[in-house]
Amino acid sequence: MMDYTLYLWHVLTHRVPFLWRFHAVHHVDLDLDASTALRFHFGELAVSVPYRSAQVVLLGVDAEALTFWQMFLSLSILFHHSNVRLPHRLEEALSWFLVTPRMHGIHHSNEPAEANTNWSSGLACWDRIHRTFRLNVPQEEIHIGIKGIDTEDRVRLPEILTQPFRDVPEVEAFLQAPKPD
Ligand SMILES: [Zn+2]
């Protein structure tokens, strides 16, 4: 249930304008690799604290289970942001259970129709259940990032630190793009 409610939180970070401003900092990275797993704005981490606390309290998770899930989640996040290239068949099989790099790469596409899929962070079943799973986009056709923000000078540290506090038309346009039901 921690994993499922994190799926719901991820959807919210793409749909609620205030949350998207912070989560967009993670999505402007032009190149997906394990370091992307660490590129979260501190504001996103801060605004997630009440939600994460509510998850623990309302679900009644004990410390041992929480530690185990947190460890699993950290490894999963490193793995699915990495640029490891796995054989397609292996990835297809793995993606029944875990979020794979190709699966999460589609979520980081600069095409909103592709980015609005694959919201899971740990177990992949939540996307299967909600029919938001997608693995049919060839990796070489994916452009990572947010459409219109495609030069390095837009994603340097000073720019991304201040990004949530500025009106960035490309970030807003991405939020308003049509979404699946
Ligand atoms: Zn996202």
Side-chain angles (χ1 to χ4, degrees):
M1 284 301 98
M2 287 294 288
D3 210 66
Y4 177 55
T5 47
L6 183 63
Y7 167 95
L8 298 178
W9 170 255
H10 190 189
V11 174
L12 285 176
T13 62
H14 279 255
R15 300 213 169 159
V16 177
F18 172 74
L19 298 177
W20 170 241
R21 276 181 174 246
F22 290 100
H23 187 59
V25 171
H26 174 64
H27 274 269
V28 292
D29 199 354
L30 299 169
D31 187 24
L32 205 57
D33 57 41
S35 75
T36 313
L38 306 172
R39 280 171 74 107
F40 283 94
H41 196 280
F42 63 85
E44 178 171 1
L45 303 180
V47 296
S48 74
V49 169
Y51 188 88
R52 297 296 278 269
S53 308
Q55 278 182 296
V56 173
V57 173
L58 296 176
L59 297 172
V61 184
D62 66 41
E64 203 180 343
L66 182 62
T67 306
F68 178 79
W69 175 73
Q70 200 66 61
M71 265 168 43
F72 157 71
L73 182 68
S74 303
L75 290 174
S76 172
I77 289 174
L78 273 178
F79 172 62
H80 64 237
H81 285 100
S82 75
N83 50 12
V84 174
R85 282 177 186 264
L86 299 171
H88 201 288
R89 280 173 167 233
L90 175 62
E91 200 144 349
E92 252 173 8
L94 260 183
S95 66
W96 278 97
F97 309 100
L98 297 171
V99 179
T100 64
R102 189 171 272 128
M103 195 182 152
H104 200 66
I106 295 171
H107 176 68
H108 273 264
S109 166
N110 74 359
E111 281 299 333
E114 291 165 4
N116 286 312
T117 64
N118 298 347
W119 313 96
S120 300
S121 297
L123 302 173
C125 58
W126 317 121
D127 280 303
R128 300 267 185 184
I129 292 168
H130 284 278
R131 305 171 83 85
T132 51
F133 174 82
R134 205 165 166 189
L135 199 63
N136 60 354
V137 185
Q139 213 161 10
E140 55 282 359
E141 287 178 14
I142 296 172
H143 295 282
I144 301 292
I146 289 179
K147 202 169 255 177
I149 302 181
D150 42 22
T151 53
E152 281 184 16
D153 61 317
R154 300 283 307 273
V155 296
R156 294 208 170 105
L157 190 61
E159 278 71 27
I160 61 172
L161 276 180
T162 56
Q163 184 181 294
F165 310 106
R166 291 184 281 116
D167 291 331
V168 182
E170 294 90 341
V171 169
E172 283 171 30
F174 207 74
L175 184 79
Q176 282 151 18
K179 295 173 179 58
D181 295 331

